[in-house]
Amino acid sequence: MLEKMFKLKENNTTAKTEVIAGITTFMTMAYILAVNPNLLSRAGMDPTAVLIATCLASFIGTFAMALLANYPFALAPGMGLNAYFAFTVCGNMGYSWKVALMAVFFEGIIFIILSLTNVREAIFNAIPTTLKKGVSAGIGLFIAFIGLQGGHIVVNNDSTLLSYVNFRDNWHTEGICAVLALIGLLLTAILYIKKVKGSILIGILATWILGMICQAAGVYRIDADAGFYSLYPAFAMTDFSKIGETFGQCFTADFHGVGIMNFIVVMLSFLFVDMFDTIGTLIGVSDKAGMLDEDGKLPNVKQALMADAIATSAGAILGTSTTTTFVESSAGVGAGARTGLASIVTGLLFLLAIFFAPIFTAIPGFATAPALIFVGFLMVSAIVKVDFEDLTDAVPAYLCLIAMPLMYSIAEGIAIGVISFVLINLICGKRKKITPLMYILAVLFICKYIFL
Protein backbone atom coordinates (compact mmCIF):
# COMPACT_ATOMS: atom_id res chain seq x y z
CA MET A 1 0.00 0.00 0.00
CA LEU A 2 2.81 2.43 0.91
CA GLU A 3 4.64 1.55 -2.28
CA LYS A 4 1.56 2.21 -4.41
CA MET A 5 0.74 5.50 -2.68
CA PHE A 6 4.22 7.03 -2.40
CA LYS A 7 6.19 5.19 -5.14
CA LEU A 8 9.11 4.42 -2.84
CA LYS A 9 11.11 2.26 -5.28
CA GLU A 10 10.67 4.74 -8.09
CA ASN A 11 12.15 7.41 -5.84
CA ASN A 12 15.01 5.15 -4.65
CA THR A 13 13.99 5.16 -1.00
CA THR A 14 12.54 2.86 1.65
CA ALA A 15 9.84 3.18 4.30
CA LYS A 16 12.49 3.06 7.05
CA THR A 17 14.47 5.90 5.48
CA GLU A 18 11.33 8.00 5.03
CA VAL A 19 10.23 7.48 8.64
CA ILE A 20 13.64 8.45 10.03
CA ALA A 21 13.80 11.45 7.72
CA GLY A 22 10.27 12.53 8.69
CA ILE A 23 11.23 12.42 12.37
CA THR A 24 14.39 14.40 11.57
CA THR A 25 12.39 17.13 9.83
CA PHE A 26 10.02 17.37 12.79
CA MET A 27 12.87 17.58 15.29
CA THR A 28 14.44 20.50 13.41
CA MET A 29 11.05 22.26 13.19
CA ALA A 30 9.81 21.56 16.72
CA TYR A 31 11.12 24.90 17.94
CA ILE A 32 8.14 26.55 16.20
CA LEU A 33 5.90 25.01 18.88
CA ALA A 34 7.60 27.19 21.46
CA VAL A 35 8.45 30.23 19.33
CA ASN A 36 5.13 30.81 17.56
CA PRO A 37 2.93 30.96 20.70
CA ASN A 38 5.52 33.21 22.32
CA LEU A 39 5.57 35.64 19.39
CA LEU A 40 1.82 35.75 18.71
CA SER A 41 1.05 36.16 22.40
CA ARG A 42 2.72 39.58 22.03
CA ALA A 43 -0.21 40.46 19.76
CA GLY A 44 -2.68 39.58 22.53
CA MET A 45 -3.43 35.99 21.48
CA ASP A 46 -3.71 33.13 23.97
CA PRO A 47 -0.43 31.14 23.77
CA THR A 48 -2.07 27.74 24.36
CA ALA A 49 -4.63 28.43 21.64
CA VAL A 50 -1.80 29.44 19.28
CA LEU A 51 0.10 26.27 20.17
CA ILE A 52 -2.87 24.07 19.26
CA ALA A 53 -3.49 26.09 16.08
CA THR A 54 0.20 25.75 15.15
CA CYS A 55 0.09 21.98 15.54
CA LEU A 56 -3.16 21.60 13.58
CA ALA A 57 -2.14 23.96 10.78
CA SER A 58 1.21 22.18 10.44
CA PHE A 59 -0.55 18.81 10.38
CA ILE A 60 -3.05 19.91 7.72
CA GLY A 61 -0.45 21.59 5.52
CA THR A 62 2.11 18.79 5.74
CA PHE A 63 -0.51 16.11 5.05
CA ALA A 64 -1.80 18.12 2.08
CA MET A 65 1.76 18.29 0.72
CA ALA A 66 2.14 14.52 1.09
CA LEU A 67 -1.20 13.58 -0.43
CA LEU A 68 -1.40 16.17 -3.21
CA ALA A 69 2.24 16.33 -4.35
CA ASN A 70 4.01 13.32 -2.74
CA TYR A 71 6.89 15.54 -1.64
CA PRO A 72 8.88 15.41 1.64
CA PHE A 73 8.21 19.07 2.45
CA ALA A 74 6.76 20.06 5.81
CA LEU A 75 4.74 23.17 6.57
CA ALA A 76 4.28 25.30 9.69
CA PRO A 77 3.70 28.96 10.60
CA GLY A 78 6.64 30.76 9.06
CA MET A 79 9.34 32.55 11.00
CA GLY A 80 9.58 36.20 9.99
CA LEU A 81 5.96 36.21 8.93
CA ASN A 82 4.88 35.61 12.51
CA ALA A 83 7.15 38.41 13.70
CA TYR A 84 5.71 40.74 11.04
CA PHE A 85 2.22 39.70 12.23
CA ALA A 86 2.95 40.43 15.89
CA PHE A 87 5.32 43.40 15.87
CA THR A 88 4.45 45.29 12.69
CA VAL A 89 0.77 44.68 11.94
CA CYS A 90 -0.44 44.35 15.54
CA GLY A 91 2.35 46.40 17.09
CA ASN A 92 3.46 49.38 15.01
CA MET A 93 0.28 49.58 12.92
CA GLY A 94 -1.94 48.95 15.93
CA TYR A 95 -4.40 46.55 14.25
CA SER A 96 -6.06 43.75 16.19
CA TRP A 97 -4.85 40.18 15.77
CA LYS A 98 -8.26 39.31 14.32
CA VAL A 99 -7.71 41.78 11.47
CA ALA A 100 -4.24 40.33 10.90
CA LEU A 101 -5.69 36.81 10.76
CA MET A 102 -8.27 37.98 8.21
CA ALA A 103 -5.44 39.37 6.05
CA VAL A 104 -3.69 35.99 6.23
CA PHE A 105 -6.95 34.20 5.35
CA PHE A 106 -7.49 36.34 2.23
CA GLU A 107 -3.83 35.86 1.30
CA GLY A 108 -4.42 32.11 1.32
CA ILE A 109 -7.57 32.46 -0.82
CA ILE A 110 -5.63 34.51 -3.38
CA PHE A 111 -2.91 31.85 -3.35
CA ILE A 112 -5.47 29.15 -4.06
CA ILE A 113 -6.79 31.14 -7.04
CA LEU A 114 -3.26 31.80 -8.33
CA SER A 115 -2.40 28.11 -7.96
CA LEU A 116 -5.53 27.05 -9.87
CA THR A 117 -4.70 29.48 -12.67
CA ASN A 118 -1.06 28.31 -12.92
CA VAL A 119 0.33 31.76 -12.06
CA ARG A 120 2.52 30.54 -9.20
CA GLU A 121 3.69 27.55 -11.27
CA ALA A 122 4.62 29.91 -14.11
CA ILE A 123 6.63 32.09 -11.71
CA PHE A 124 8.45 29.02 -10.39
CA ASN A 125 9.32 27.84 -13.90
CA ALA A 126 10.29 31.34 -15.11
CA ILE A 127 13.22 31.61 -12.69
CA PRO A 128 16.40 30.65 -14.63
CA THR A 129 18.26 27.48 -13.66
CA THR A 130 21.35 29.44 -12.62
CA LEU A 131 19.26 31.49 -10.17
CA LYS A 132 17.70 28.30 -8.83
CA LYS A 133 21.18 27.06 -7.99
CA GLY A 134 21.90 30.37 -6.30
CA VAL A 135 18.66 30.08 -4.34
CA SER A 136 19.52 26.55 -3.21
CA ALA A 137 23.00 27.58 -2.07
CA GLY A 138 21.65 30.76 -0.47
CA ILE A 139 19.13 28.77 1.55
CA GLY A 140 22.03 26.56 2.63
CA LEU A 141 23.87 29.58 4.05
CA PHE A 142 20.63 30.92 5.51
CA ILE A 143 19.73 27.80 7.49
CA ALA A 144 23.36 27.38 8.56
CA PHE A 145 23.19 30.95 9.89
CA ILE A 146 19.97 30.11 11.73
CA GLY A 147 21.71 27.08 13.21
CA LEU A 148 24.74 29.12 14.30
CA GLN A 149 22.40 31.53 16.07
CA GLY A 150 20.27 28.78 17.59
CA GLY A 151 23.39 27.12 18.93
CA HIS A 152 24.61 30.44 20.43
CA ILE A 153 27.80 30.15 18.39
CA VAL A 154 27.09 33.42 16.59
CA VAL A 155 25.76 36.17 18.85
CA ASN A 156 24.84 39.86 18.69
CA ASN A 157 27.60 42.44 18.77
CA ASP A 158 26.80 46.15 18.95
CA SER A 159 29.99 47.11 17.11
CA THR A 160 30.05 44.55 14.30
CA LEU A 161 26.40 43.38 14.39
CA LEU A 162 27.58 39.78 14.80
CA SER A 163 30.39 37.97 16.59
CA TYR A 164 31.28 34.53 17.94
CA VAL A 165 30.26 33.73 21.49
CA ASN A 166 32.65 34.48 24.32
CA PHE A 167 32.87 31.02 25.87
CA ARG A 168 34.13 32.27 29.23
CA ASP A 169 31.40 34.87 29.74
CA ASN A 170 28.07 33.23 30.56
CA TRP A 171 29.78 29.82 30.46
CA HIS A 172 26.88 28.07 32.17
CA THR A 173 24.36 29.29 29.56
CA GLU A 174 25.56 30.53 26.15
CA GLY A 175 29.06 29.10 26.50
CA ILE A 176 28.14 25.49 27.20
CA CYS A 177 25.32 25.61 24.63
CA ALA A 178 27.81 26.66 21.94
CA VAL A 179 30.24 23.89 22.94
CA LEU A 180 27.46 21.28 22.84
CA ALA A 181 26.33 22.54 19.42
CA LEU A 182 29.88 22.21 18.06
CA ILE A 183 30.22 18.70 19.51
CA GLY A 184 26.89 17.78 17.93
CA LEU A 185 28.03 19.20 14.59
CA LEU A 186 31.23 17.12 14.61
CA LEU A 187 29.26 14.01 15.59
CA THR A 188 26.70 14.59 12.84
CA ALA A 189 29.38 15.16 10.20
CA ILE A 190 31.35 12.05 11.20
CA LEU A 191 28.24 9.84 11.23
CA TYR A 192 27.12 11.20 7.85
CA ILE A 193 30.56 10.65 6.30
CA LYS A 194 30.52 7.08 7.62
CA LYS A 195 27.06 6.68 5.99
CA VAL A 196 25.28 5.89 9.26
CA LYS A 197 21.50 5.82 8.69
CA GLY A 198 19.69 8.57 10.58
CA SER A 199 22.94 10.44 11.29
CA ILE A 200 21.25 13.85 11.45
CA LEU A 201 18.53 12.63 13.83
CA ILE A 202 21.13 10.85 15.98
CA GLY A 203 23.09 14.11 16.14
CA ILE A 204 20.03 16.01 17.42
CA LEU A 205 19.16 13.41 20.08
CA ALA A 206 22.77 12.91 21.21
CA THR A 207 23.31 16.67 21.59
CA TRP A 208 20.08 16.98 23.60
CA ILE A 209 21.08 14.09 25.87
CA LEU A 210 24.53 15.63 26.43
CA GLY A 211 22.77 18.85 27.39
CA MET A 212 20.60 17.06 29.95
CA ILE A 213 23.74 15.45 31.41
CA CYS A 214 25.33 18.89 31.66
CA GLN A 215 22.25 20.23 33.43
CA ALA A 216 22.31 17.32 35.89
CA ALA A 217 26.01 17.99 36.57
CA GLY A 218 25.41 21.71 37.09
CA VAL A 219 27.44 22.76 34.05
CA TYR A 220 24.33 24.05 32.27
CA ARG A 221 22.20 26.31 34.46
CA ILE A 222 18.66 27.53 33.98
CA ASP A 223 18.24 31.27 33.41
CA ALA A 224 14.66 31.83 32.27
CA ASP A 225 15.08 35.62 32.02
CA ALA A 226 17.85 35.12 29.46
CA GLY A 227 15.94 32.40 27.59
CA PHE A 228 17.71 29.33 28.97
CA TYR A 229 15.17 26.83 30.27
CA SER A 230 15.27 23.32 31.66
CA LEU A 231 16.40 20.76 29.11
CA TYR A 232 14.32 18.00 30.68
CA PRO A 233 11.06 17.23 28.85
CA ALA A 234 7.96 18.00 30.91
CA PHE A 235 5.07 15.54 30.98
CA ALA A 236 1.87 17.56 30.92
CA MET A 237 -1.36 17.64 28.93
CA THR A 238 -2.65 20.53 26.83
CA ASP A 239 -5.81 22.50 27.66
CA PHE A 240 -7.81 21.83 24.48
CA SER A 241 -10.61 24.24 25.42
CA LYS A 242 -8.30 27.15 24.64
CA ILE A 243 -8.60 26.63 20.86
CA GLY A 244 -12.00 28.32 21.01
CA GLU A 245 -10.25 31.61 21.73
CA THR A 246 -8.74 31.75 18.22
CA PHE A 247 -10.72 29.32 16.05
CA GLY A 248 -12.79 31.23 13.49
CA GLN A 249 -11.99 34.57 15.13
CA CYS A 250 -10.69 35.97 11.84
CA PHE A 251 -14.32 36.19 10.70
CA THR A 252 -15.23 38.38 13.70
CA ALA A 253 -12.60 41.06 12.98
CA ASP A 254 -13.62 44.66 13.59
CA PHE A 255 -12.36 46.79 10.70
CA HIS A 256 -13.33 50.10 12.30
CA GLY A 257 -10.48 52.53 11.79
CA VAL A 258 -8.47 50.17 9.58
CA GLY A 259 -9.35 51.40 6.10
CA ILE A 260 -9.56 49.25 2.99
CA MET A 261 -6.27 50.46 1.51
CA ASN A 262 -4.40 49.84 4.75
CA PHE A 263 -5.85 46.33 4.89
CA ILE A 264 -4.85 45.65 1.28
CA VAL A 265 -1.26 46.80 1.98
CA VAL A 266 -1.05 44.43 4.97
CA MET A 267 -2.48 41.55 2.94
CA LEU A 268 -0.12 42.21 0.01
CA SER A 269 2.86 42.27 2.37
CA PHE A 270 1.92 38.84 3.71
CA LEU A 271 1.20 37.65 0.15
CA PHE A 272 4.49 38.85 -1.33
CA VAL A 273 6.80 37.48 1.35
CA ASP A 274 4.95 34.17 1.61
CA MET A 275 4.87 33.60 -2.15
CA PHE A 276 8.59 34.00 -2.68
CA ASP A 277 9.60 32.35 0.59
CA THR A 278 7.62 29.29 -0.54
CA ILE A 279 8.94 29.32 -4.09
CA GLY A 280 12.50 29.76 -2.83
CA THR A 281 12.16 26.94 -0.32
CA LEU A 282 10.67 24.59 -2.92
CA ILE A 283 13.49 25.42 -5.34
CA GLY A 284 16.24 24.94 -2.77
CA VAL A 285 14.99 21.77 -1.12
CA SER A 286 13.86 20.07 -4.33
CA ASP A 287 17.18 20.88 -6.01
CA LYS A 288 19.05 19.26 -3.12
CA ALA A 289 16.79 16.21 -3.38
CA GLY A 290 17.44 15.95 -7.13
CA MET A 291 13.75 16.47 -7.94
CA LEU A 292 14.16 19.22 -10.54
CA ASP A 293 14.11 17.99 -14.13
CA GLU A 294 16.69 18.90 -16.78
CA ASP A 295 14.89 22.19 -17.44
CA GLY A 296 14.95 23.12 -13.77
CA LYS A 297 11.22 22.48 -13.36
CA LEU A 298 9.61 20.65 -10.45
CA PRO A 299 7.01 18.02 -11.38
CA ASN A 300 3.81 18.43 -9.33
CA VAL A 301 4.82 21.98 -8.36
CA LYS A 302 1.20 23.07 -8.86
CA GLN A 303 0.03 20.55 -6.26
CA ALA A 304 2.81 21.58 -3.87
CA LEU A 305 1.85 25.25 -4.15
CA MET A 306 -1.82 24.35 -3.68
CA ALA A 307 -0.98 22.50 -0.44
CA ASP A 308 0.83 25.61 0.78
CA ALA A 309 -2.15 27.82 -0.12
CA ILE A 310 -4.63 25.54 1.66
CA ALA A 311 -2.44 25.50 4.76
CA THR A 312 -2.30 29.31 4.86
CA SER A 313 -6.10 29.75 4.89
CA ALA A 314 -6.64 26.81 7.25
CA GLY A 315 -4.05 28.22 9.65
CA ALA A 316 -5.77 31.62 9.68
CA ILE A 317 -9.11 29.99 10.55
CA LEU A 318 -7.48 27.96 13.33
CA GLY A 319 -5.70 31.00 14.70
CA THR A 320 -2.10 31.33 13.54
CA SER A 321 -0.02 33.46 11.20
CA THR A 322 0.90 32.41 7.67
CA THR A 323 1.60 28.68 7.32
CA THR A 324 4.28 28.02 4.73
CA THR A 325 6.74 25.41 3.47
CA PHE A 326 9.64 25.19 5.92
CA VAL A 327 13.27 25.38 4.88
CA GLU A 328 14.02 22.86 7.67
CA SER A 329 12.50 20.26 5.33
CA SER A 330 16.01 20.16 3.90
CA ALA A 331 17.12 18.35 7.06
CA GLY A 332 14.77 15.50 6.18
CA VAL A 333 15.97 15.54 2.58
CA GLY A 334 19.53 15.38 3.88
CA ALA A 335 18.50 12.30 5.87
CA GLY A 336 17.18 10.64 2.71
CA ALA A 337 13.55 11.79 2.40
CA ARG A 338 12.25 11.68 -1.16
CA THR A 339 8.48 11.12 -0.91
CA GLY A 340 5.36 12.25 0.90
CA LEU A 341 5.71 9.37 3.38
CA ALA A 342 8.27 11.47 5.27
CA SER A 343 5.74 14.32 5.34
CA ILE A 344 3.07 11.97 6.69
CA VAL A 345 5.40 11.09 9.58
CA THR A 346 6.20 14.76 10.24
CA GLY A 347 2.51 15.68 10.10
CA LEU A 348 1.53 12.92 12.52
CA LEU A 349 4.20 14.10 14.96
CA PHE A 350 2.74 17.61 14.82
CA LEU A 351 -0.66 16.11 15.60
CA LEU A 352 0.84 14.10 18.46
CA ALA A 353 2.56 17.23 19.73
CA ILE A 354 -0.85 18.69 20.63
CA PHE A 355 -1.11 16.11 23.40
CA PHE A 356 2.50 16.21 24.54
CA ALA A 357 3.63 19.68 23.47
CA PRO A 358 5.79 20.32 26.58
CA ILE A 359 7.98 17.35 25.62
CA PHE A 360 8.68 18.64 22.14
CA THR A 361 9.08 22.26 23.17
CA ALA A 362 11.90 21.15 25.48
CA ILE A 363 14.13 20.40 22.47
CA PRO A 364 16.75 23.18 22.78
CA GLY A 365 18.08 25.27 19.94
CA PHE A 366 21.63 24.02 20.42
CA ALA A 367 20.43 20.44 19.78
CA THR A 368 18.85 21.22 16.40
CA ALA A 369 21.66 23.63 15.45
CA PRO A 370 24.07 20.87 14.26
CA ALA A 371 21.42 19.54 11.87
CA LEU A 372 20.78 22.97 10.35
CA ILE A 373 24.47 23.84 10.03
CA PHE A 374 25.34 20.51 8.42
CA VAL A 375 22.38 20.52 6.04
CA GLY A 376 23.42 24.05 5.11
CA PHE A 377 26.71 22.56 3.97
CA LEU A 378 24.90 19.96 1.87
CA MET A 379 22.79 22.63 0.18
CA VAL A 380 25.48 25.24 -0.44
CA SER A 381 27.25 22.73 -2.70
CA ALA A 382 24.70 23.65 -5.42
CA ILE A 383 26.75 26.77 -6.14
CA VAL A 384 29.40 24.69 -7.92
CA LYS A 385 26.82 23.98 -10.66
CA VAL A 386 26.69 27.69 -11.57
CA ASP A 387 28.70 28.57 -14.68
CA PHE A 388 31.19 31.10 -13.31
CA GLU A 389 32.62 31.64 -16.80
CA ASP A 390 29.36 33.38 -17.73
CA LEU A 391 29.28 36.36 -15.38
CA THR A 392 25.77 37.35 -16.47
CA ASP A 393 24.65 34.11 -14.82
CA ALA A 394 27.16 33.96 -11.99
CA VAL A 395 26.82 37.48 -10.56
CA PRO A 396 23.00 37.32 -10.00
CA ALA A 397 23.40 33.85 -8.47
CA TYR A 398 26.10 35.21 -6.17
CA LEU A 399 24.00 38.21 -5.12
CA CYS A 400 21.08 35.90 -4.42
CA LEU A 401 23.39 33.65 -2.40
CA ILE A 402 24.70 36.36 -0.08
CA ALA A 403 21.43 38.29 0.24
CA MET A 404 19.48 35.49 1.90
CA PRO A 405 21.53 35.09 5.10
CA LEU A 406 22.56 38.76 5.35
CA MET A 407 19.00 40.05 4.84
CA TYR A 408 17.58 37.13 6.80
CA SER A 409 14.98 36.41 4.13
CA ILE A 410 14.58 33.92 1.29
CA ALA A 411 12.18 36.31 -0.45
CA GLU A 412 14.71 39.18 -0.41
CA GLY A 413 17.37 36.90 -1.87
CA ILE A 414 15.09 35.99 -4.77
CA ALA A 415 14.19 39.66 -5.28
CA ILE A 416 17.85 40.73 -5.48
CA GLY A 417 18.62 37.78 -7.77
CA VAL A 418 15.76 38.48 -10.18
CA ILE A 419 16.36 42.24 -10.38
CA SER A 420 20.11 41.83 -10.93
CA PHE A 421 19.62 39.04 -13.50
CA VAL A 422 17.27 41.17 -15.60
CA LEU A 423 19.33 44.38 -15.38
CA ILE A 424 22.72 42.75 -15.99
CA ASN A 425 21.57 40.67 -18.96
CA LEU A 426 19.56 43.57 -20.41
CA ILE A 427 22.46 46.04 -20.23
CA CYS A 428 25.03 43.46 -21.39
CA GLY A 429 23.06 42.69 -24.56
CA LYS A 430 21.72 39.27 -23.60
CA ARG A 431 18.03 40.03 -23.82
CA LYS A 432 17.21 36.59 -25.22
CA LYS A 433 17.95 35.05 -21.82
CA ILE A 434 15.21 37.13 -20.19
CA THR A 435 11.67 35.80 -20.41
CA PRO A 436 8.71 38.22 -20.38
CA LEU A 437 7.69 36.97 -16.92
CA MET A 438 11.16 37.77 -15.55
CA TYR A 439 10.70 41.38 -16.68
CA ILE A 440 7.35 41.48 -14.87
CA LEU A 441 8.85 39.96 -11.71
CA ALA A 442 11.72 42.46 -11.72
CA VAL A 443 9.29 45.39 -12.01
CA LEU A 444 7.10 43.97 -9.23
CA PHE A 445 10.11 43.54 -6.92
CA ILE A 446 11.23 47.13 -7.58
CA CYS A 447 7.70 48.39 -6.90
CA LYS A 448 7.65 46.37 -3.70
CA TYR A 449 10.75 48.17 -2.43
CA ILE A 450 9.24 51.54 -3.36
CA PHE A 451 5.68 51.11 -2.09
CA LEU A 452 5.56 48.34 0.54
Side-chain angles (χ1 to χ4, degrees):
M1 181 179 176
L2 290 178
E3 173 59 40
K4 184 178 180 180
M5 182 178 293
F6 299 109
K7 301 177 182 178
L8 301 177
K9 290 182 180 178
E10 182 181 321
N11 288 283
N12 298 314
T13 186
T14 64
K16 180 181 177 181
T17 297
E18 296 293 300
V19 169
I20 292 174
I23 296 171
T24 301
T25 296
F26 175 79
M27 295 288 279
T28 59
M29 291 175 63
Y31 69 86
I32 199 65
L33 300 180
V35 173
N36 205 46
N38 178 270
L39 278 177
L40 297 193
S41 66
R42 312 285 183 88
M45 302 177 71
D46 182 85
T48 302
V50 174
L51 173 61
I52 297 171
T54 299
C55 292
L56 290 175
S58 302
F59 166 73
I60 292 169
T62 305
F63 253 61
M65 183 66 74
L67 299 178
L68 293 178
N70 192 28
Y71 285 143
F73 308 143
L75 293 86
M79 288 296 295
L81 287 160
N82 51 13
Y84 177 76
F85 182 107
F87 300 120
T88 301
V89 178
C90 298
N92 296 340
M93 295 181 179
Y95 301 144
S96 74
W97 57 265
K98 294 181 182 181
V99 170
L101 283 178
M102 178 57 81
V104 173
F105 174 76
F106 275 117
E107 172 211 344
I109 296 299
I110 293 172
F111 270 162
I112 291 173
I113 295 170
L114 291 178
S115 297
L116 287 172
T117 55
N118 298 326
V119 172
R120 294 177 83 192
E121 181 179 359
I123 293 172
F124 183 98
N125 292 332
I127 297 174
T129 300
T130 185
L131 268 188
K132 287 177 177 171
K133 301 301 180 186
V135 167
S136 182
I139 289 176
L141 284 184
F142 183 42
I143 64 169
F145 184 40
I146 293 171
L148 289 167
Q149 289 179 305
H152 301 281
I153 299 167
V154 170
V155 295
N156 178 66
N157 184 298
D158 292 337
S159 298
T160 62
L161 298 182
L162 296 171
S163 179
Y164 70 92
V165 65
N166 187 321
F167 292 96
R168 290 174 296 177
D169 293 347
N170 305 314
W171 162 247
H172 293 290
T173 50
E174 276 190 338
I176 186 60
C177 286
V179 169
L180 289 169
L182 291 171
I183 292 172
L185 177 59
L186 287 174
L187 175 63
T188 301
I190 291 167
L191 291 175
Y192 191 91
I193 292 168
K194 289 183 173 292
K195 295 181 169 56
V196 175
K197 290 288 186 181
S199 54
I200 295 175
L201 178 59
I202 292 170
I204 294 172
L205 294 174
T207 308
W208 187 14
I209 292 169
L210 283 174
M212 287 188 278
I213 293 172
C214 287
Q215 182 174 332
V219 180
Y220 172 89
R221 295 176 186 171
I222 298 170
D223 184 353
D225 291 337
F228 296 92
Y229 305 97
S230 175
L231 305 179
Y232 303 137
F235 297 92
M237 291 295 287
T238 305
D239 182 0
F240 291 97
S241 65
K242 292 289 187 178
I243 188 62
E245 298 194 21
T246 57
F247 182 78
Q249 293 301 309
C250 62
F251 301 119
T252 66
D254 181 3
F255 287 88
H256 179 72
V258 175
I260 186 64
M261 289 308 299
N262 290 332
F263 180 77
I264 290 174
V265 168
V266 171
M267 184 189 66
L268 288 177
S269 297
F270 279 126
L271 181 78
F272 201 88
V273 176
D274 186 22
M275 174 180 286
F276 290 98
D277 262 8
T278 299
I279 289 175
T281 300
L282 288 177
I283 289 172
V285 180
S286 57
D287 179 61
K288 179 58 197 172
M291 294 174 177
L292 299 180
D293 63 22
E294 56 187 19
D295 297 320
K297 296 180 179 180
L298 178 65
N300 297 334
V301 66
K302 183 176 182 179
Q303 292 90 328
L305 292 169
M306 179 60 74
D308 187 272
I310 291 170
T312 294
S313 289
I317 294 171
L318 289 163
T320 184
S321 53
T322 306
T323 303
T324 187
T325 307
F326 250 56
V327 69
E328 281 81 359
S329 302
S330 54
V333 167
R338 293 296 180 273
T339 73
L341 179 56
S343 294
I344 291 290
V345 173
T346 304
L348 287 174
L349 287 173
F350 270 114
L351 192 61
L352 183 65
I354 297 177
F355 300 94
F356 306 104
I359 297 176
F360 296 115
T361 55
I363 302 172
F366 69 77
T368 57
L372 296 177
I373 297 169
F374 187 73
V375 171
F377 155 73
L378 297 178
M379 295 190 69
V380 80
S381 61
I383 199 66
V384 302
K385 298 177 183 177
V386 173
D387 181 7
F388 280 90
E389 296 299 320
D390 185 348
L391 295 183
T392 59
D393 275 355
V395 172
Y398 161 72
L399 293 174
C400 179
L401 167 74
I402 62 170
M404 285 188 188
L406 296 181
M407 297 180 180
Y408 215 78
S409 170
I410 294 171
E412 300 302 339
I414 293 176
I416 298 300
V418 168
I419 292 170
S420 61
F421 182 88
V422 170
L423 291 178
I424 289 173
N425 280 280
L426 183 63
I427 294 170
C428 293
K430 295 192 176 183
R431 294 183 179 88
K432 291 182 179 179
K433 292 171 61 177
I434 311 170
T435 62
L437 189 51
M438 282 292 286
Y439 281 114
I440 294 171
L441 288 176
V443 170
L444 287 175
F445 280 126
I446 292 170
C447 288
K448 175 250 185 184
Y449 286 120
I450 295 173
F451 299 111
L452 291 182

